[in-house]
Amino acid sequence: MKNLVEIKNLEVRFDLKEGIVRAVNGVSLDIASNRTLGLVGESGCGKSVTARAILRILPARGRIVRGNVLLQPRDEDGDEPIDLTTLDPQGEMIRRIRGADIAMVFQEPMTSFSPVHSVGNQICENIRLHQNASRKEARGMAIDLLGLVGVPNPAQRIDAYPHELSGGLRQRCMIAKALSCRPRLLIADEPTTALDVTIQAQILELIDRLKRDQGMAVLMITHDLAVIAETADDVAVMYLGRIVEQAPARTLFESPLHPYTRGLLKSIPVLGSGQQGRLESIQGSVPDPFSVPGGCPFHPRCPDRIKGVCDIGEPPELKEEEEGRSVACHLYGRG
Amino acid sequence: MNAGMSIPPEPENDGRLSADDSMSQEKLYLASQWRLMWWKFVDHRLALCSMYLLCLFYFVALFCGFFAPHNPSQRARDLSFAPPQRVHLVHEGRLRGPFVYPRIQHFDQELALLTYTEDRSRVQPIRFFVRGDTYRFWGLVETSVHLVGLRDGGRLYLMGADRLGRDLFSRILYGSRISLSIGLVGVFLSLVLGIVIGGISGYFGGVTDTVIQRFIEILMSIPSIPLWMALAAAVPPTWSQLTVYFCMTTILALIGWTGVAREVRGKILALREEDYAMAARAAGVKEFRILMRHLVPGFTSHLIVVVTLAIPAMILAETALSFLQLGLRAPTISWGVLLQDAMNLQAVNLYPWLIWPTAFVVFVVLLFNFLGDGLRDAADPYRH
């Protein structure tokens, strides 16, 4: 196994009063070191749930019913991959992995820091949780980290409270906290959604630079294709808890296969392309999660649906169409 | 903090506030939450006075041996039910400074009562730092210096005497030790119980939450006086005063934590959904640590207010329990125990000074309520 994390056939369910929601339905992903995997999809398609399932921090009613999340062990821990799905979600093992091997950056830099402790304090907490460091050493490391992520004047800012920092600075501090124990996988859950565009570019550039310097893997979760275009090496497109298309970023943008991916790409304006009239959008809206349509879940919204094929039976499986790219659609691989 | 907020007076900068407005504005922006709270609190004159007075009460309670003129258990048969002594300044037309006249006991044959008259021929000047009854200072050093008193073993009864001729004022001061501390200790215990149980209930939710909440409801629905009676009946009469005291605080705390637990649960329910709780979990922080380090500080200011308002309730509960003879008993001195003497209507009618402890209870409870009021206003970020 050469991939850092391999997600195999992961299935997450939420047992609610209104019914069962299959938030993640047989997702398989390979995340390799030194690469960025972009996970795109509309709101509610299961991107964040996938990320939380990796860290085992699902909300109380969510549970993993099937599948494995295999983490390549660090050199000193032998060579059996660790299956994160079998660990006790509150146990010692998973807590040692959280924050140390796999770290996460959240969407809202405004609220991901506790308002009552200084940011330095919270970064130091993370360092001291996972490493043997004295208070003083941890503080020194925190200052270095803040400098690394481009916080000006880190020796002073370390004592700032979250409300004293701007959104961009706070997100930088969040990244510093995530990086504090040199994680091998950084999960960035919509890291730039709450920021304005110029800051967004800086933050993405920062994550990209740190990825190259530290050789870590990045799982970039976003609904924003522009963010994917800028950062990702590989892309997986998710729809209603399933991966519908997976390809290297460049190929995906040049020739999308799945009708959903094509729809997504058509709905972004392109400067200088001479587009006339209204921007196209995908017709309809995401179906009610309690009653996912039979057959291919995308068929009610699909412009290319084939009657009698797409709307019956099991959803199409993800099949390799060309070298390195796969798609789950009846339009392909039928001979 | 919003810019329209009035600038709080700063102690060292009060007079020349307008001279450097922008500097004090900047100070306001940089002030920590506690500083802002303190500024707002200082604005609340009544609460500030209450705080100082309460400090004074606790200070006196700490050094009650020194402040009390007499040993609270020293009996004097010739002063049974002696009324409060009047402090005089002028003797036979001449200013003599504060002094009292000694009392002479008579037996009124008609009413079958002891009455007292002042012996106007002798003057007993009130002295400061006089030697009187010996007491052990904090149980360590034996001394006999009192703040006020009379020379040569004269007895100064500012608030009268009880049936055994003991000085009520000294007894009230000694009683404040227990009555004031039972509130603090009891509230501290119920606070710990409330935070931990309420925190667990709110943070983990689900079945745990339901079980704890139903348990609290059962506890709250038991009428308090029969519950006290049952618990007090479980205290063996052979126990020492100290043990009974601790038992009482525990009983009060065991009943008092439910309110705090409810408040904490409500706050935790709101705070646990915050992203920073999720972020802490993602960083591998232990659940209990998230609860105590990241969630509880979010409502410390609120808790402080709850506590200041809970202390007077504890003081009242102690008084009520002891008054009903369910709590502390006679050789122990507390305000409630002192009020047992005032239980019978005839006694209050003939010797009205026996209800002096009530005045102290009312005064202290009011002070705590004013203090809590001021703290609540100061801690509320939406009130400017």
Side-chain angles (χ1 to χ4, degrees), chain A residues 106 108-117 122 125 162 174 177, chain B residues 203 267 270-283 285 290 293-299:
Chain A
F106 289 84
E108 283 285 341
M110 307 290 160
T111 54
S112 328
F113 274 115
S114 165
V116 293
H117 302 290
Q122 296 182 57
E125 180 188 25
M174 194 74 221
K177 184 182 169 189
Chain B
Y203 188 77
K267 289 280 173 185
L271 289 178
R272 71 164 182 189
E273 301 301 327
E274 290 286 337
D275 287 348
Y276 59 83
M278 179 61 84
R281 287 178 75 196
V285 185
I290 296 177
R293 195 181 132 89
H294 291 277
L295 299 185
V296 171
F299 53 90

Side-chain angles (χ1 to χ4, degrees), chain B residues 26 51 108 122 168 186 275 280 286 299 309 313 346 367 380:
Chain B
E26 191 181 318
M51 191 183 73
D108 188 326
R122 274 165 57 209
L168 195 58
D275 287 348
K286 276 186 193 166
F299 53 90
L309 293 175
Q346 198 195 0
L367 289 182
D380 182 358

Side-chain angles (χ1 to χ4, degrees), chain A residues 169-196:
Chain A
L169 273 185
R170 236 178 288 180
Q171 195 61 296
R172 284 177 194 268
C173 291
M174 194 74 221
I175 293 170
K177 184 182 169 189
L179 291 178
S180 59
C181 295
R182 296 187 147 260
R184 291 181 292 156
L185 170 62
L186 180 72
I187 302 176
D189 189 356
E190 310 245 10
T192 56
T193 311
L195 305 175
D196 61 50

Side-chain angles (χ1 to χ4, degrees), chain A residues 300-312:
Chain A
R301 304 172 75 189
C302 182
D304 306 317
R305 61 178 169 262
I306 310 164
K307 227 178 163 193
V309 178
C310 290
D311 51 358
I312 50 162

Side-chain angles (χ1 to χ4, degrees), chain B residues 29-202:
Chain B
Y29 291 132
L30 295 178
S32 71
Q33 187 202 357
W34 295 109
R35 264 231 98 79
L36 288 169
M37 265 178 73
W38 174 246
W39 285 339
K40 267 195 273 180
F41 180 73
V42 168
D43 251 1
H44 204 295
R45 296 282 164 213
L46 189 60
L48 195 67
C49 291
S50 303
M51 191 183 73
Y52 288 138
L53 279 172
L54 279 174
C55 289
L56 185 70
F57 262 100
Y58 277 94
F59 184 74
V60 171
L62 268 179
F63 300 99
C64 60
F66 171 69
F67 286 101
H70 298 289
N71 179 340
S73 310
Q74 180 74 52
R75 299 171 186 197
R77 202 184 302 150
D78 56 339
L79 288 171
S80 169
F81 287 129
Q85 267 175 312
R86 282 180 56 199
V87 177
H88 300 268
L89 289 171
V90 181
H91 176 65
E92 291 173 345
R94 275 172 49 212
L95 192 69
R96 292 288 303 268
F99 67 90
V100 291
Y101 293 115
R103 285 147 306 177
I104 305 162
Q105 192 183 47
H106 309 280
F107 186 72
D108 188 326
Q109 299 282 351
E110 213 169 308
L111 293 168
L113 277 177
L114 288 169
T115 54
Y116 293 87
T117 51
E118 288 180 329
D119 175 5
R120 294 254 169 185
S121 61
R122 274 165 57 209
V123 166
Q124 288 182 315
I126 296 173
R127 300 281 182 213
F128 291 93
F129 303 104
V130 290
R131 300 212 164 259
D133 300 329
T134 53
Y135 60 92
R136 294 187 78 86
F137 185 74
W138 286 3
L140 297 172
V141 192
E142 194 153 303
T143 170
S144 63
V145 179
H146 296 265
L147 180 65
V148 290
L150 305 176
R151 284 244 175 88
D152 310 320
R155 303 196 76 77
L156 175 69
Y157 282 16
L158 293 171
M159 289 182 181
D162 64 3
R163 192 169 58 82
L164 298 172
R166 295 174 294 200
D167 175 25
L168 195 58
F169 181 62
S170 302
R171 289 174 70 75
I172 289 174
L173 292 193
Y174 272 88
S176 68
R177 272 193 313 193
I178 283 181
S179 292
L180 292 179
S181 66
I182 211 164
L184 292 188
V185 179
V187 163
F188 177 75
L189 283 179
S190 63
L191 188 70
V192 172
L193 278 174
I195 290 180
V196 172
I197 299 178
I200 288 172
S201 173

